[in-house]
Amino acid sequence: MVRALLFLSIAGLVSSTIYLILVVEAARRFRARSVKHVLPGASLPPVTVLKPLHGLEPRLERNLESFFLQDYPEFEIFFGARHANDPALKIVNRLRNRYPHIKSRIVLSGEPVYPNAKVFSLEKMVGCATASYLVITDSDVSMSSDCLRQVVAPLLDPGNGVVTCLYRGVAAGGFWSKLEALGMSIEMSSGVLVANMLEGMKFALGPTMATRKDVLDSIGGITALGQYCADDYVLGNLAYASGKRVVLSHHMIDHVAMNTSVRTSLGHQVRWMRSTRFSRGAGHLGAGLTYAMPFGFLGLIAGAAGQDWRLCAGLLGFALLSRVMQAIVVGCHLIGDSESLRLCWLYPLRDLMGFFVWCASFMGSEIVWRDERYRLMAHGKMVRVLTSRTE
C-alpha cells in the first residue's frame, strides 16, 4: 500500500508537470502573438452591449460604470432584468442619470420560459438591439476603456464569429474570495491557454463574448442556448461548428469573485465544475491529472508510512514550487494580476482545493443557480427541479 501511494504520487506529479510545461509554452505562444487593435473610429461599427442583471453584487456600480466609460464611437447599453423591482436597477438608473449622453435602456424580460434565465433575458435584449454587433458581458465584470475596440475589431473579419477574453480574478473581500480569484486568474486561464494551443478555441468564456447577429442566426438564434447551463461554452461551440472562428482576445478584463464565505465560494465552484463535467466530459475527467498538490501530499503520506522521508518531502516541495511557478508565469506575467505574484505562495492551497472541488463535481447532478435548483442532463442541458426561493 505504501509503495502504491508513492507510485501514485510520482505518476500524478509527472502528469501535472507535463501539464505545467504545456501551460508555460501556451502562455509563451499566446503572448508572442499579442495584438493591440488600433482602428480609426470611422471604421468601427455600432455596438449594442448586453448586460443581464440579477440583484445587488459587490462592486456592481463600479463594474457597470466601466461600460459607460468606453472609448468607442457609437454604442448603446441594454440592461436586462426579470422585474422592475430588481435592486440592481437603482444603480443602473443612477448611472444613466450620471451619463445621459450614453445611449442606454432597461429591458424587462419577465419570468423565463426555459431553464436558463440569463439567456431568456438576452433574447429580449437582442430583439431590441439596433446594432448588428453585440457584446455580451456579465454583471460582475469590469473593463478598461478600450475593451469594446479590442473585442469588436476581430469581428470585422467575417470568418470570425465570436471573440472572448481571459480575465483577472478580483477578490470582493475575505480569504475565500481571494482563493477563488486566484483560481480565475491562474487555473482557469491555464486551461483555456492549453486548449487554445492544442486544438484552437471551440468555446467562449461567459464574462465577455462579442459576436454578430448573423452568427446568432446561423446557430438558431440566442434561443438555442436556453436549455443549457454553460451557455457560453455552447455559443462558442455552435459558432465553431457553423464554420466560424472563435478568437481568444489578448485584451484582459476584471472578473469579481463575489463569494466571500466558504459555503458560497465552494458552492459556486462546484456548480461550475459540475456543469463542465456535463458539457465537456472527457476534458473534465482529464483535468484531475493537472493538479499537483494532492499528489505531493500522497508522497508525504508515503514518507510518514515508512518510505524515504527525504524523497517524499522532496515530492511535496516539488509540487509546491510547480504551482508557485504557474501562478507567476500565468497569473502575473500573462494575465497581469499583481495579486498572483503577491499571493503566489497561497496558490498551492488553491490547487489542492481545486482538486477536491473537481472530486465533488462527480457527486451528484444537481446545482443551485440564482437561488433555483436544476438537474443537469446529457450535453449540459438542465431542467428546473425546485425553486428554493419565491421572488
Side-chain angles (χ1 to χ4, degrees):
M1 178 61 71
V2 175
R3 289 183 178 179
L5 288 176
L6 184 60
F7 175 79
L8 284 175
S9 173
I10 294 173
L13 288 174
V14 168
S15 68
S16 62
T17 301
I18 293 172
Y19 175 69
L20 178 61
I21 293 171
L22 291 174
V23 168
V24 172
E25 177 61 15
R28 186 195 67 80
R29 294 187 187 186
F30 185 75
R31 188 164 188 167
R33 296 194 303 267
S34 179
V35 175
K36 187 174 180 64
H37 299 282
V38 181
L39 297 175
S43 64
L44 292 169
V47 171
T48 299
V49 178
L50 309 178
K51 179 71 71 171
L53 302 171
H54 187 94
L56 296 176
E57 300 169 352
R59 297 169 58 106
L60 181 61
E61 184 165 355
R62 186 184 307 181
N63 292 340
L64 298 183
E65 187 174 25
S66 69
F67 291 85
F68 285 90
L69 299 175
Q70 288 298 299
D71 177 21
Y72 196 87
E74 185 178 352
F75 70 99
E76 60 184 0
I77 310 174
F78 284 6
F79 298 96
R82 214 181 277 192
H83 306 296
N85 61 357
D86 190 314
L89 296 182
K90 292 182 179 179
I91 293 177
V92 169
N93 285 323
R94 188 156 64 236
L95 291 170
R96 296 178 72 196
N97 291 332
R98 190 181 304 166
Y99 301 99
H101 59 288
I102 301 296
K103 296 179 183 178
S104 60
R105 178 177 175 181
I106 294 172
V107 179
L108 301 178
S109 63
E111 293 298 319
V113 298
Y114 38 74
N116 193 318
K118 171 187 169 182
V119 173
F120 186 67
S121 179
L122 287 172
E123 180 185 23
K124 300 299 182 183
M125 288 188 279
V126 169
C128 299
T130 60
S132 297
Y133 289 75
L134 308 171
V135 177
I136 303 168
T137 69
D138 287 343
S139 55
D140 52 6
V141 163
S142 176
M143 54 178 55
S144 60
S145 61
D146 63 336
C147 182
L148 289 185
R149 287 179 176 268
Q150 297 305 313
V151 300
V152 171
L155 291 175
L156 298 178
D157 181 346
N160 295 332
V162 178
V163 179
T164 194
C165 299
L166 294 169
Y167 44 83
R168 290 178 290 267
V170 178
F175 176 77
W176 297 104
S177 180
K178 287 181 180 179
L179 272 185
E180 188 172 346
L182 285 175
M184 291 177 175
S185 295
I186 305 165
E187 180 182 329
M188 166 64 78
S189 299
S190 296
V192 173
L193 288 167
V194 171
N196 185 42
M197 179 180 72
L198 294 182
E199 60 179 11
M201 291 296 290
K202 298 181 181 180
F203 57 92
L205 303 173
T208 299
M209 303 180 290
T211 189
R212 299 184 305 269
K213 284 186 175 179
D214 66 279
V215 177
L216 293 182
D217 290 341
S218 71
I219 66 171
I222 197 79
T223 310
L225 315 179
Q227 303 295 327
Y228 295 90
C229 177
D231 52 90
D232 51 350
Y233 171 81
V234 176
L235 172 59
N237 195 250
L238 290 178
Y240 176 83
S242 73
K244 301 295 184 182
R245 290 184 292 270
V246 179
V247 177
L248 183 60
S249 173
H250 289 84
H251 184 81
M252 311 293 177
I253 61 171
D254 290 334
H255 186 11
V256 179
M258 300 184 297
N259 303 291
T260 58
S261 71
V262 60
R263 183 184 64 83
T264 57
S265 179
L266 291 178
H268 172 258
Q269 292 174 66
V270 170
R271 173 176 68 80
W272 181 84
M273 277 277 196
R274 195 163 285 167
S275 71
T276 304
R277 169 190 151 206
F278 279 85
S279 299
R280 293 180 285 148
H284 180 68
L285 188 62
L289 297 175
T290 65
Y291 298 100
M293 291 306 299
F295 300 106
F297 274 107
L298 279 181
L300 188 66
I301 293 171
Q307 291 293 317
D308 185 341
W309 67 268
R310 288 170 296 185
L311 170 64
C312 297
L315 293 175
L316 178 59
F318 180 82
L320 285 164
L321 287 175
S322 71
R323 297 308 93 165
V324 169
M325 179 180 178
Q326 184 182 357
I328 294 173
V329 170
V330 177
C332 177
H333 290 304
L334 183 69
I335 303 300
D337 178 18
S338 60
E339 290 293 282
S340 292
L341 177 61
R342 191 176 71 86
L343 299 176
C344 64
W345 57 271
L346 190 58
Y347 183 66
L349 175 60
R350 161 61 218 177
D351 181 80
L352 181 64
M353 185 176 75
F355 176 78
F356 287 113
V357 169
W358 175 80
C359 292
S361 71
F362 294 95
M363 300 175 185
S365 60
E366 292 189 359
I367 60 171
V368 176
W369 186 20
R370 297 295 193 183
D371 303 314
E372 294 176 341
R373 186 171 294 275
Y374 301 87
R375 180 176 296 112
L376 296 172
M377 314 292 285
H379 309 298
K381 291 186 176 182
M382 61 181 182
V383 293
R384 188 180 303 168
V385 296
L386 175 67
T387 299
S388 58
R389 179 175 64 85
T390 304
E391 297 187 345

